[in-house]
Tab-separated table of all heavy atoms in Angstrom:
chain	number	residue	atom	x	y	z
A	658	VAL	N	133.231	99.384	125.209
A	658	VAL	CA	134.270	98.616	125.888
A	658	VAL	C	135.346	99.559	126.385
A	658	VAL	O	135.915	100.340	125.612
A	658	VAL	CB	134.877	97.544	124.957
A	658	VAL	CG1	135.988	96.792	125.668
A	658	VAL	CG2	133.800	96.567	124.487
A	710	ASN	N	116.254	102.687	137.608
A	710	ASN	CA	114.854	102.417	137.900
A	710	ASN	C	114.028	103.700	137.794
A	710	ASN	O	114.119	104.587	138.637
A	710	ASN	CB	114.693	101.815	139.296
A	710	ASN	CG	113.242	101.452	139.589
A	710	ASN	OD1	112.380	101.522	138.710
A	710	ASN	ND2	112.975	101.053	140.815
A	718	VAL	N	116.929	92.987	138.296
A	718	VAL	CA	117.056	92.239	137.045
A	718	VAL	C	117.744	90.917	137.331
A	718	VAL	O	118.813	90.874	137.960
A	718	VAL	CB	117.848	93.018	135.970
A	718	VAL	CG1	117.987	92.166	134.706
A	718	VAL	CG2	117.149	94.333	135.637
A	725	ILE	N	126.553	83.138	137.435
A	725	ILE	CA	127.192	84.361	137.908
A	725	ILE	C	127.191	84.370	139.429
A	725	ILE	O	126.523	83.557	140.068
A	725	ILE	CB	126.466	85.607	137.350
A	725	ILE	CG1	124.988	85.614	137.776
A	725	ILE	CG2	126.585	85.667	135.838
A	725	ILE	CD1	124.226	86.837	137.288
A	728	ASN	N	125.473	87.514	144.443
A	728	ASN	CA	125.026	88.890	144.694
A	728	ASN	C	124.758	89.684	143.415
A	728	ASN	O	124.376	90.849	143.466
A	728	ASN	CB	126.028	89.637	145.581
A	728	ASN	CG	127.414	89.697	144.980
A	728	ASN	OD1	127.653	89.264	143.851
A	728	ASN	ND2	128.364	90.221	145.742
A	766	PHE	N	111.536	90.998	141.025
A	766	PHE	CA	110.995	91.687	142.204
A	766	PHE	C	109.542	92.026	141.891
A	766	PHE	O	109.243	92.539	140.819
A	766	PHE	CB	111.789	92.956	142.499
A	766	PHE	CG	111.460	93.568	143.838
A	766	PHE	CD1	112.078	93.103	144.988
A	766	PHE	CD2	110.529	94.587	143.951
A	766	PHE	CE1	111.777	93.649	146.226
A	766	PHE	CE2	110.224	95.148	145.179
A	766	PHE	CZ	110.850	94.668	146.330
A	769	ILE	N	104.989	88.857	139.881
A	769	ILE	CA	103.676	88.704	139.260
A	769	ILE	C	103.279	89.943	138.478
A	769	ILE	O	102.642	89.853	137.420
A	769	ILE	CB	102.602	88.349	140.318
A	769	ILE	CG1	101.259	88.052	139.630
A	769	ILE	CG2	102.460	89.461	141.339
A	769	ILE	CD1	100.191	87.550	140.575
A	784	ASP	N	128.721	83.246	119.433
A	784	ASP	CA	129.817	82.326	119.105
A	784	ASP	C	130.659	82.962	118.005
A	784	ASP	O	130.223	83.026	116.846
A	784	ASP	CB	129.252	80.987	118.646
A	784	ASP	CG	130.341	79.953	118.381
A	784	ASP	OD1	131.532	80.324	118.419
A	784	ASP	OD2	129.998	78.788	118.130
A	785	PRO	N	131.855	83.452	118.317
A	785	PRO	CA	132.667	84.114	117.292
A	785	PRO	C	133.159	83.171	116.200
A	785	PRO	O	133.615	83.625	115.152
A	785	PRO	CB	133.845	84.684	118.088
A	785	PRO	CG	133.936	83.822	119.298
A	785	PRO	CD	132.536	83.401	119.621
A	788	LYS	N	130.153	79.685	111.676
A	788	LYS	CA	130.245	80.108	110.282
A	788	LYS	C	129.220	79.424	109.375
A	788	LYS	O	129.092	79.816	108.210
A	788	LYS	CB	131.655	79.827	109.745
A	788	LYS	CG	132.756	80.581	110.490
A	788	LYS	CD	134.130	80.207	109.957
A	788	LYS	CE	135.227	80.962	110.723
A	788	LYS	NZ	136.596	80.588	110.247
A	799	SER	N	105.368	86.465	124.187
A	799	SER	CA	104.747	87.133	125.325
A	799	SER	C	103.252	87.264	125.106
A	799	SER	O	102.746	87.072	123.997
A	799	SER	CB	105.372	88.521	125.558
A	799	SER	OG	105.252	89.323	124.402
A	806	LYS	N	87.497	96.451	124.466
A	806	LYS	CA	86.156	95.904	124.307
A	806	LYS	C	86.192	94.588	123.532
A	806	LYS	O	86.978	94.409	122.604
A	806	LYS	CB	85.271	96.903	123.561
A	806	LYS	CG	84.983	98.184	124.309
A	806	LYS	CD	84.118	99.102	123.465
A	806	LYS	CE	83.843	100.411	124.189
A	806	LYS	NZ	83.028	101.329	123.359
A	824	GLU	N	94.591	86.194	129.131
A	824	GLU	CA	95.261	86.981	128.100
A	824	GLU	C	94.446	86.985	126.811
A	824	GLU	O	93.864	85.970	126.426
A	824	GLU	CB	96.660	86.432	127.806
A	824	GLU	CG	97.599	86.458	128.987
A	824	GLU	CD	97.708	85.114	129.652
A	824	GLU	OE1	96.682	84.403	129.678
A	824	GLU	OE2	98.793	84.762	130.137
A	826	PHE	N	95.863	89.032	123.987
A	826	PHE	CA	96.782	89.410	122.919
A	826	PHE	C	98.087	88.644	123.107
A	826	PHE	O	98.694	88.688	124.186
A	826	PHE	CB	97.037	90.921	122.917
A	826	PHE	CG	95.884	91.717	122.382
A	826	PHE	CD1	94.865	92.148	123.221
A	826	PHE	CD2	95.795	92.015	121.029
A	826	PHE	CE1	93.800	92.869	122.738
A	826	PHE	CE2	94.725	92.743	120.527
A	826	PHE	CZ	93.719	93.170	121.382
A	828	MET	N	101.972	87.670	121.378
A	828	MET	CA	102.923	88.431	120.574
A	828	MET	C	104.222	87.688	120.343
A	828	MET	O	104.624	86.832	121.130
A	828	MET	CB	103.236	89.757	121.281
A	828	MET	CG	102.005	90.579	121.574
A	828	MET	SD	102.326	91.856	122.810
A	828	MET	CE	100.640	92.267	123.231
A	839	PRO	N	108.242	89.739	109.129
A	839	PRO	CA	108.585	88.384	108.676
A	839	PRO	C	110.077	88.100	108.813
A	839	PRO	O	110.900	89.014	108.881
A	839	PRO	CB	108.151	88.391	107.204
A	839	PRO	CG	108.205	89.836	106.801
A	839	PRO	CD	107.840	90.625	108.026
A	849	LYS	N	118.860	79.645	111.696
A	849	LYS	CA	118.677	79.391	113.128
A	849	LYS	C	117.612	80.343	113.657
A	849	LYS	O	117.613	81.528	113.342
A	849	LYS	CB	119.982	79.597	113.899
A	849	LYS	CG	119.827	79.423	115.418
A	849	LYS	CD	121.124	79.694	116.169
A	849	LYS	CE	122.104	78.560	116.010
A	849	LYS	NZ	123.303	78.725	116.888
A	902	PHE	N	117.129	74.924	110.497
A	902	PHE	CA	116.588	74.208	109.341
A	902	PHE	C	117.255	74.689	108.064
A	902	PHE	O	117.832	75.780	108.015
A	902	PHE	CB	115.062	74.368	109.238
A	902	PHE	CG	114.592	75.764	108.922
A	902	PHE	CD1	114.380	76.167	107.614
A	902	PHE	CD2	114.340	76.674	109.939
A	902	PHE	CE1	113.936	77.450	107.323
A	902	PHE	CE2	113.907	77.957	109.661
A	902	PHE	CZ	113.699	78.348	108.346
A	934	ALA	N	105.819	84.989	109.609
A	934	ALA	CA	106.027	84.253	108.368
A	934	ALA	C	107.512	84.161	108.060
A	934	ALA	O	108.269	85.105	108.305
A	934	ALA	CB	105.304	84.930	107.206
A	944	LYS	N	102.195	84.454	91.763
A	944	LYS	CA	102.437	83.531	90.655
A	944	LYS	C	102.083	82.095	91.015
A	944	LYS	O	101.980	81.228	90.133
A	944	LYS	CB	103.899	83.610	90.228
A	944	LYS	CG	104.293	84.951	89.612
A	944	LYS	CD	105.753	84.942	89.195
A	944	LYS	CE	106.145	86.267	88.564
A	944	LYS	NZ	107.580	86.291	88.161
A	949	ALA	N	90.089	78.061	94.685
A	949	ALA	CA	89.191	76.968	95.025
A	949	ALA	C	88.084	76.863	93.986
A	949	ALA	O	87.717	77.849	93.324
A	949	ALA	CB	88.595	77.192	96.403
Side-chain angles (χ1 to χ4, degrees):
V658 178
N710 183 7
V718 178
I725 59 178
N728 59 5
F766 191 84
I769 186 174
D784 184 353
K788 299 177 181 178
S799 57
K806 294 179 181 179
E824 299 100 325
F826 286 89
M828 304 163 195
K849 177 183 285 188
F902 67 92
K944 294 181 179 179

